[in-house]
Amino acid sequence: MHEYSDIALTRQPYPTLTGLYIRNIVANLAGNITIALLNAVTPLEFLKDWMIYISKGGWVVIPIFISSAAIIVTLLQHTIQQPISRYLTHLVRNERIAKSLRLRAGRRLLNLPVLLVLANLSMWLLLDIIFTPVMYFLLDMTPSAFFYNFFRVLMVGVIVSFISFFLIDDYVREKLVPVLFPEGQLVSISGTVRISILRRIRVLFGVGTNAPMVLLCVTIAFAVWELDETTMTTAEFSHGIIVFSLAVFIMFIAISLSLNLLVGKSILRPINDMLGIARKIRKGDFHQKVRVTSNDALGIMGDGMNAMTDGLIERERLRRGLYLAQEVQQALLPRECPDIDGLDIAARSLYCDETGGDYFDFIKSGITQLDVAIGDVSGHGISSAILMASVRAFIRQRIHLPGNLGRVLSDVNRQLSLDVEDSGSFMTLFYLRLNREKDCLSWVRAGHDPAIYYDPFSDRFDELHGKGPALGIDDQTVFEENQIRGLTPGQIIVLATDGIWEARNKDGRMFGKEPLYDIIRQGANTDAKDILNECFQALEQFQSGAVREDDVSMVVIKIVGFNSRRVDVRY
């Protein structure tokens, strides 16, 4: 049973393989014409016999020879291109394509230039073995003429193979690779020949330098070999060598320049394409793709750049999502501190990412009661922001129903535990209630650091402790409410997340709570906003040159108008 490709098949014009046949035939004609023209100026006596034989009707051999070559190479090419032909036929007919066929066609396409080089070279070697002995008897050749003729036909095969490689490679890149590999990734196809840029340049060098040098040297060697058997003078021999050398030079210069254009295009076009896309990326246009047409270093670079643009698109999408999440999360946090008689309040949050898991909130009940919550979700980022928003919603929904703070947090914890039981996420929370009418401070601590309670009259710091794990760990947890009464003006309550005292400087030293105590003590006669600003400035100076690794949130509450009775903290 075949697996089928997910390529969307639409009716559109697809390239045919006719261009491949034409280019291979052109390569064969070019090789034959090159050697034929060189034969006309080659200073060898036996070629004169060949010309006489041609003029007396022997020219019939030439079309037979060329036709035989064309038929053989076309049959070989047709056999080699079968998987590619079947693939294109399915495309034209808008039929589903088996993945196995797509893989075979892609592999055959990438190997096609090399396979046709081998096919052409093998065919000309076969024809050389068959026809050269026939010509030997027809023309009554000398041994030197026989070997030279064998060499010349073999050179036809070499020249044809070189030209065929570059012509076929150019057509494959331009017409067929975009159809079979619309997304690139040619390197991922196993079983293919990878011809590097350096190897292509070496092949081109061989066409333009080594081939004419071998042809010239061998021709001169054979000319010298039969020099004693001819009546050619030294001047005629020298003139013939010079004419032949010029002909070789001109012809191979023309061939090399033509092939240089193809090789240069195959190298410069991908580079220019990547440079153009790089310029667009610098301007913020990430929706660009490099046209990958090879499995060499340029193909790898093209695939890498396409992967990079995909990553940039995804990064941009995430960045916009983070900014949107940041806006939503910032909208959930209080825009300003509540105005409650008898209380001076300041609060602030700083996130180390666009979004975070720190949370604080104010919930007023009439004109005498204020609830203050501060929490810290495990981790930070979008997932923490979502969990923070969920807890906020749970609390605001539950707080208006009957029950003390312990019951409220127990219900919120039960609901949250059901939501996060498989994720391992949790949230610490400190929930505080100030009731001016009852002169009462109540709180529940759910795994969060205790609030700092400072009495300037006794210059005493206490921490508002309480039992209870973080929210989301155990759905059976029952939280207890803690309470004190008799608050007096001047007392300060600070709620914060551990991102403050656990912050580290570039030397790895922690900020700690002692600097906070000093700032609170020194700011006892100032307002809550001044105390808050001093704390954040001290933290910023402490972390100068270091990266903030956790979110930071703080709420400062200063009592300015409660009853004047002083009490000790009890919990």
Side-chain angles (χ1 to χ4, degrees):
M1 187 172 181
H2 294 291
E3 292 185 6
Y4 291 93
S5 172
D6 294 330
I7 295 178
L9 302 178
T10 57
R11 294 191 179 277
Q12 55 179 305
Y14 291 106
T16 65
L17 300 184
T18 305
L20 291 176
Y21 290 107
I22 292 174
R23 292 191 175 215
N24 204 28
I25 291 174
V26 167
N28 279 271
L29 288 176
N32 278 279
I33 292 172
T34 299
I35 295 301
L37 292 175
L38 291 177
N39 283 340
V41 295
T42 299
L44 293 176
E45 284 296 319
F46 90 90
L47 289 177
K48 296 179 181 179
D49 297 334
W50 168 250
M51 298 303 294
I52 294 173
Y53 174 76
I54 292 296
S55 64
K56 291 181 177 181
W59 59 269
V60 177
V61 177
I62 296 177
I64 295 175
F65 184 77
I66 295 177
S67 299
S68 300
I71 293 172
I72 294 174
V73 75
T74 301
L75 290 175
L76 288 174
Q77 187 173 357
H78 177 75
T79 303
I80 293 171
Q81 295 173 179
Q82 269 298 308
I84 306 171
S85 178
R86 288 175 56 200
Y87 183 89
L88 292 177
T89 300
H90 283 297
L91 282 181
V92 172
R93 295 176 180 175
N94 201 33
E95 297 173 346
R96 298 184 67 186
I97 302 174
K99 289 186 178 180
S100 58
L101 174 59
R102 183 172 183 269
L103 181 61
R104 287 199 305 273
R107 185 183 293 119
R108 186 61 53 85
L109 181 67
L110 297 181
N111 289 331
L112 189 60
V114 174
L115 292 175
L116 290 183
V117 164
L118 297 176
N120 281 308
L121 196 58
S122 301
M123 180 207 59
W124 282 104
L125 180 60
L126 177 64
L127 291 177
D128 201 7
I129 294 173
I130 295 174
F131 277 92
T132 302
V134 173
M135 298 304 300
Y136 176 78
F137 291 106
L138 287 176
L139 298 178
D140 192 22
M141 294 180 180
T142 63
S144 62
F146 170 80
F147 286 113
Y148 185 73
N149 190 70
F150 188 91
F151 165 74
R152 275 294 178 91
V153 175
L154 185 61
M155 285 302 298
V156 171
V158 173
I159 295 172
V160 166
S161 299
F162 280 145
I163 297 175
S164 171
F165 174 83
F166 291 107
L167 291 179
I168 296 299
D169 182 70
D170 179 69
Y171 189 85
V172 165
R173 288 170 180 255
E174 290 295 315
K175 304 295 184 180
L176 298 175
V177 166
V179 175
L180 273 72
F181 300 96
E183 301 297 327
Q185 301 297 325
L186 282 69
V187 178
S188 63
I189 304 299
S190 61
T192 59
V193 179
R194 297 181 183 177
I195 301 178
S196 65
I197 298 174
L198 181 59
R199 289 179 180 175
R200 294 167 62 81
I201 294 174
R202 286 174 177 171
V203 171
L204 185 62
F205 177 79
V207 176
T209 305
N210 296 339
M213 182 180 67
V214 170
L215 190 62
L216 181 61
C217 291
V218 172
T219 300
I220 293 174
F222 275 101
V224 172
W225 185 0
E226 66 174 14
L227 188 61
D228 293 337
E229 302 175 5
T230 65
T231 58
M232 185 181 299
T233 64
T234 304
E236 291 174 337
F237 179 80
S238 301
H239 179 267
I241 293 297
I242 292 173
V243 171
F244 178 75
S245 300
L246 288 174
V248 170
F249 174 77
I250 293 171
M251 290 183 184
F252 277 90
I253 283 292
I255 293 174
S256 297
L257 287 176
S258 301
L259 298 183
N260 259 298
L261 293 175
L262 295 179
V263 175
K265 182 175 69 173
S266 70
I267 296 174
L268 293 177
R269 178 172 289 181
I271 293 176
N272 291 332
D273 191 16
M274 285 186 275
L275 289 175
I277 290 177
R279 286 191 289 267
K280 292 179 180 179
I281 290 174
R282 290 182 61 184
K283 297 178 181 179
D285 183 4
F286 304 140
H287 296 275
Q288 302 293 328
K289 290 291 183 181
V290 176
R291 186 187 182 198
V292 179
T293 59
S294 64
N295 60 356
D296 55 12
L298 292 175
I300 295 173
M301 290 174 62
D303 288 332
M305 181 166 284
N306 289 339
M308 180 189 71
T309 55
D310 289 339
L312 290 173
I313 292 172
E314 180 64 17
R315 180 180 177 183
E316 179 67 13
R317 186 185 67 81
L318 290 175
R319 185 179 67 85
R320 291 179 180 177
L322 285 173
Y323 283 143
L324 178 60
Q326 182 183 32
E327 291 180 2
V328 173
Q329 187 177 28
Q330 293 295 331
L332 295 178
L333 296 178
R335 295 183 179 275
E336 57 184 18
C337 294
D339 184 11
I340 298 287
D341 289 341
L343 297 176
D344 178 19
I345 305 172
R348 185 185 304 171
S349 277
L350 291 178
Y351 294 146
C352 60
D353 291 332
E354 285 83 356
T355 58
D358 276 13
Y359 156 70
F360 72 89
D361 199 6
F362 303 110
I363 303 174
K364 288 179 62 175
S365 297
I367 61 173
T368 61
Q369 179 175 295
L370 175 68
D371 289 359
V372 182
I374 190 166
D376 187 1
V377 178
S378 57
H380 42 261
I382 291 181
S383 60
S384 298
I386 293 173
L387 185 57
M388 181 274 280
S390 299
V391 173
R392 177 184 182 275
F394 292 156
I395 291 175
R396 283 181 166 263
Q397 182 183 32
R398 177 60 185 83
I399 199 66
H400 298 294
L401 300 176
N404 63 15
L405 294 185
R407 180 68 180 276
V408 169
L409 268 293
S410 297
D411 292 344
V412 170
N413 173 68
R414 187 177 304 108
Q415 183 62 52
L416 182 65
S417 297
L418 294 175
D419 291 347
V420 301
E421 59 182 351
D422 295 328
S423 67
S425 300
F426 60 89
M427 178 177 184
T428 64
L429 185 74
F430 193 95
Y431 198 95
L432 178 74
R433 172 171 289 173
L434 286 158
N435 193 309
R436 183 168 178 264
E437 183 178 4
K438 296 180 180 179
D439 191 17
C440 175
L441 172 63
S442 305
W443 74 90
V444 175
R445 178 173 172 253
H448 198 80
D449 284 279
I452 299 172
Y453 183 86
Y454 176 63
D455 184 357
F457 297 101
S458 62
D459 192 25
R460 175 181 173 182
F461 282 93
D462 288 289
E463 292 187 342
L464 305 182
H465 288 278
K467 297 180 180 180
L471 302 178
I473 294 179
D474 181 5
D475 63 345
Q476 300 300 316
T477 299
V478 177
F479 292 93
E480 297 180 359
E481 179 182 295
N482 304 279
Q483 191 176 93
I484 60 174
R485 294 180 179 275
L487 303 177
T488 60
Q491 292 176 336
I492 300 172
I493 305 167
V494 177
L495 292 76
T497 58
D498 58 9
I500 295 181
W501 40 79
E502 292 183 0
R504 296 181 181 274
N505 61 11
K506 59 184 179 181
D507 298 325
R509 185 165 57 88
M510 290 178 57
F511 186 66
K513 290 187 177 181
E514 290 302 322
L516 294 180
Y517 292 164
D518 293 339
I519 293 172
I520 294 171
R521 179 183 289 112
Q522 294 171 8
N525 294 323
T526 62
D527 58 24
K529 185 176 181 180
D530 290 337
I531 296 174
L532 181 75
N533 289 337
E534 286 295 327
C535 289
F536 275 89
Q537 289 176 10
L539 180 63
E540 183 178 355
Q541 292 175 1
F542 175 80
Q543 286 195 292
S544 177
V547 177
R548 189 168 68 249
E549 298 180 350
D550 199 2
D551 307 326
V552 176
S553 296
M554 177 181 284
V555 178
V556 178
I557 305 170
K558 185 172 184 180
I559 300 171
V560 294
F562 273 49
N563 297 332
S564 59
R565 253 182 327 113
R566 292 177 53 220
V567 299
D568 292 333
V569 176
R570 294 289 184 267
Y571 40 83

